[in-house]
Amino acid sequence: MTSTTDSKRDFLSITDLTREELLDLLSLAQRMRRGQESGKPLAGKTLAMIFRKSSTRTRVSFEVGTFQLGGHALFLSDQSSQMGRGESVHDTAQVLSRMVDGIMIRTFAHREVEELARHSTVPVINGLTDLLHPCQLLADLQTIQAEFGDDFQRLSVAWVGDGNNMANSWLNAAATLGFELRLACPEGYDPDPAILEFARNATRVVLTRDPREAAEGAHVVTTDVFASMGQEEEAETRLRDFQGFCVDGALMDRADRASIFLHCLPAHRGEEVTAEVIDGPRSRVFDEAENRLHAQKALLAKLMGEGS
Ligand code: CP
Ligand code: NVA
């Protein structure tokens, strides 16, 4: 996790964790899922949650997770806080640092989260930016581990769709854990070039225009909406550009016999995935959603818990 002062660590990207730290965090999340961790490491502590974009899973998992760990979570939106009226990230960081023990933020520009982390003296967690969604990857990796075990290096993951914040986060996860990542993205919708290059130097990465090539023999097939939050005006164009990038039964049939389907949700049935797949036997999307709670609790305990 990024260390911006001697006494705190942030989580802005999966690459803020070493492989060992990531596996350790996933183990803690699994123990939490099994009910084997009953401590209250956040007793008396408060998490501020800044949401500049909508959320269901991220808000609920952080809020419920903080409560279950003995702490209190505070919801701040643009409508209800001075950030929405233009108060600077710099001032917000300093003020919140005087009152709370950690800050989770969901926003547009990734540099805003970096700036918040730079000026905060408490841990900052990235709850999604236009560039990355690392908290989702914790839950996704936990879901994969529950299905296939610890040996990530033998696995192949197929990403089908937009080279967005989720695709970039999958690249970071592949680089950290060493699994193969095959991305099928339409022309013009590739992942971030620097993150792609970083992952290519660390593990097996394939970028193709053909979803069938990506899915062939994959253990995990995953996708996301064609238009992310903030891209609503591009929705129609994207619907045209992403033709042929729907995960359907025929595509899943190319994957490994034991393959699973993941989606961070919310989903648009009939666009990036058919109902047959997302509601079918290979889908693990609701385990994946539940794992947001366990993974977020593990992260909070590591960053904000006693002795962290
Ligand atoms: N997957 C995810 O982050 O969901 P929300 O947008 O509902 O938080
Ligand atoms: N790529 C999507 C993920 C939502 C959880 C978005 O940014 O809107």
Side-chain angles (χ1 to χ4, degrees), residues 27-42:
S27 301
L28 178 58
Q30 286 292 35
R31 292 200 301 281
M32 284 176 161
R33 179 173 185 143
R34 294 192 197 110
Q36 293 165 340
E37 295 280 332
S38 54
K40 302 284 181 203
L42 263 56

Side-chain angles (χ1 to χ4, degrees), residues 75-119:
F75 176 76
L76 298 169
S77 67
D78 268 7
Q79 290 72 37
S80 64
S81 75
Q82 297 289 6
M83 278 188 93
R85 296 181 59 248
E87 184 165 14
S88 70
V89 172
H90 175 275
D91 285 357
T92 305
Q94 302 218 47
V95 171
L96 290 180
S97 293
R98 304 269 180 127
M99 299 190 206
V100 303
D101 304 282
I103 305 169
M104 195 280 324
I105 177 165
R106 166 170 288 198
T107 190
F108 295 84
H110 191 72
R111 64 174 181 281
E112 190 176 311
V113 180
E114 291 174 334
E115 195 185 342
L116 188 74
R118 220 172 17 253
H119 297 292

Side-chain angles (χ1 to χ4, degrees), residues 24-303:
D24 187 52
L25 197 143
L26 295 177
S27 301
L28 178 58
Q30 286 292 35
R31 292 200 301 281
M32 284 176 161
R33 179 173 185 143
R34 294 192 197 110
Q36 293 165 340
E37 295 280 332
S38 54
K40 302 284 181 203
L42 263 56
K45 300 203 172 180
T46 303
L47 174 75
M49 307 187 298
I50 302 172
F51 281 96
R52 312 197 77 175
K53 284 177 175 172
S54 303
S55 170
T56 299
R57 280 144 289 267
T58 304
R59 176 177 178 181
V60 174
S61 59
F62 273 104
E63 191 161 334
V64 172
T66 302
F67 169 74
Q68 290 183 359
L69 295 176
H72 177 72
L74 205 59
F75 176 76
L76 298 169
S77 67
D78 268 7
Q79 290 72 37
S80 64
S81 75
Q82 297 289 6
M83 278 188 93
R85 296 181 59 248
E87 184 165 14
S88 70
V89 172
H90 175 275
D91 285 357
T92 305
Q94 302 218 47
V95 171
L96 290 180
S97 293
R98 304 269 180 127
M99 299 190 206
V100 303
D101 304 282
I103 305 169
M104 195 280 324
I105 177 165
R106 166 170 288 198
T107 190
F108 295 84
H110 191 72
R111 64 174 181 281
E112 190 176 311
V113 180
E114 291 174 334
E115 195 185 342
L116 188 74
R118 220 172 17 253
H119 297 292
S120 299
T121 55
V122 296
V124 170
I125 297 170
N126 175 6
L128 180 147
T129 63
D130 290 342
L131 187 70
L132 296 174
H133 193 5
C135 290
Q136 180 66 48
L137 257 291
L138 296 179
D140 295 6
L141 296 171
Q142 188 186 345
T143 312
I144 293 175
Q145 195 182 43
E147 192 80 29
F148 297 108
D150 280 340
D151 189 5
F152 281 93
Q153 290 187 10
R154 74 175 182 87
L155 299 178
S156 176
V157 175
W159 172 267
V160 179
D162 191 16
N164 63 10
N165 44 12
M166 281 299 302
N168 292 332
S169 302
W170 274 106
L171 281 163
N172 284 335
T176 305
L177 293 178
F179 56 83
E180 179 182 48
L181 184 61
R182 288 191 239 134
L183 305 113
C185 307
E187 188 97 47
Y189 295 97
D190 288 351
D192 179 84
I195 297 175
L196 184 62
E197 181 65 18
F198 167 76
R200 277 188 163 144
N201 288 329
T203 190
R204 297 151 291 156
V205 175
V206 174
L207 178 60
T208 170
R209 305 288 170 228
D210 184 356
R212 291 167 304 183
E213 188 188 339
E216 200 67 50
H219 300 93
V220 178
V221 179
T222 184
T223 185
D224 190 9
V225 290
F226 296 154
S228 286
M229 288 181 277
Q231 298 172 334
E232 288 76 8
E233 285 179 5
E234 297 172 32
E236 249 179 68
T237 312
R238 284 173 172 260
L239 206 49
R240 280 197 301 276
D241 292 349
F242 283 79
Q243 268 186 29
F245 283 77
C246 179
V247 178
D248 58 15
L251 195 67
M252 287 304 294
D253 284 346
R254 291 181 172 265
D256 190 86
R257 284 166 63 96
S259 62
I260 60 170
F261 173 77
L262 297 180
H263 190 310
C264 62
L265 304 177
H268 293 118
R269 286 167 175 76
E271 291 188 12
E272 76 276 8
V273 60
T274 60
E276 172 198 20
V277 170
I278 197 168
D279 300 319
R282 290 178 175 192
S283 176
R284 298 290 180 275
V285 298
F286 297 113
D287 288 334
E288 183 186 3
E290 179 191 327
N291 284 337
R292 290 296 303 274
L293 173 63
H294 311 298
Q296 260 61 122
K297 282 171 69 180
L299 180 67
L300 290 166
K302 292 276 181 199
L303 292 181

